[in-house]
Amino acid sequence: MSYPLKGSCQCGCVTYVLHEAPIMVLACHCKECQKLSTSAFSITALVNAGSIEFHGEMAEWSRVADSGRVNAAKFCPVCGNRIYHFCPEEPHIIKLKPSTLEDATLINPSAHVWVCQKQSWYQIPEGVQVYEKQP
């Protein structure tokens, strides 16, 4: 895959350019990610904050996670599409929602987290890291 890659929300009001490969791609099976994705899990690409540039206004929402840390999200205020999550205590890492990329072929999780809350009907592929909760 060659970089940069472009991405956007559903309506196109928020766009971005990713200049380098993600650090890691995760599938999170926690109940909150199931609500977010309206599916069995949510996909997140961990990227260096300096490797991505965003264009367009975004709204913000946050909640306190089980760990006690803040989990914040940026999303398009027009279509509501989540673009990324972040922890204010770790501003150098962006938790990009990679399904918003024009070329989403990098969506191949190398790890599955919070599998203690995984839907029983989903089978995790062999050869990936598995964590009961957050590593």
Side-chain angles (χ1 to χ4, degrees):
M1 177 163 301
S2 81
Y3 291 84
L5 295 175
K6 294 179 180 179
S8 69
C9 64
Q10 290 180 322
C11 71
C13 287
V14 175
T15 62
Y16 64 89
V17 179
L18 178 62
H19 294 282
E20 63 185 45
I23 300 162
M24 176 182 261
V25 178
L26 305 169
C28 183
H29 296 265
C30 78
K31 297 294 182 186
E32 293 300 322
C33 280
Q34 290 178 35
K35 288 179 185 179
L36 166 67
S37 67
T38 69
S39 187
F41 54 87
S42 176
I43 304 292
T44 298
L46 301 178
V47 300
N48 290 312
S51 70
I52 192 165
E53 57 183 278
F54 296 99
H55 305 280
E57 289 188 40
M58 288 187 267
E60 186 173 314
W61 176 83
S62 65
R63 67 175 178 86
V64 177
D66 290 343
S67 66
R69 296 173 70 178
V70 173
N71 186 21
K74 293 282 191 169
F75 61 95
C76 175
V78 178
C79 67
N81 203 174
R82 291 273 177 105
I83 305 298
Y84 69 93
H85 289 192
F86 67 98
C87 174
E89 296 172 17
E90 298 177 342
H92 60 286
I93 297 292
I94 297 289
K95 302 172 188 174
L96 182 68
K97 305 317 280 176
S99 59
T100 59
L101 285 163
E102 287 179 0
D103 178 1
T105 57
L106 75 80
I107 303 177
N108 186 13
S110 58
H112 287 250
V113 299
W114 283 96
V115 297
C116 64
Q117 296 180 1
K118 178 181 82 62
Q119 293 292 322
S120 61
W121 53 264
Y122 179 75
Q123 300 300 313
I124 295 174
E126 290 187 32
V128 297
Q129 296 174 338
V130 175
Y131 299 94
E132 284 297 305
K133 292 188 176 180
Q134 195 73 23

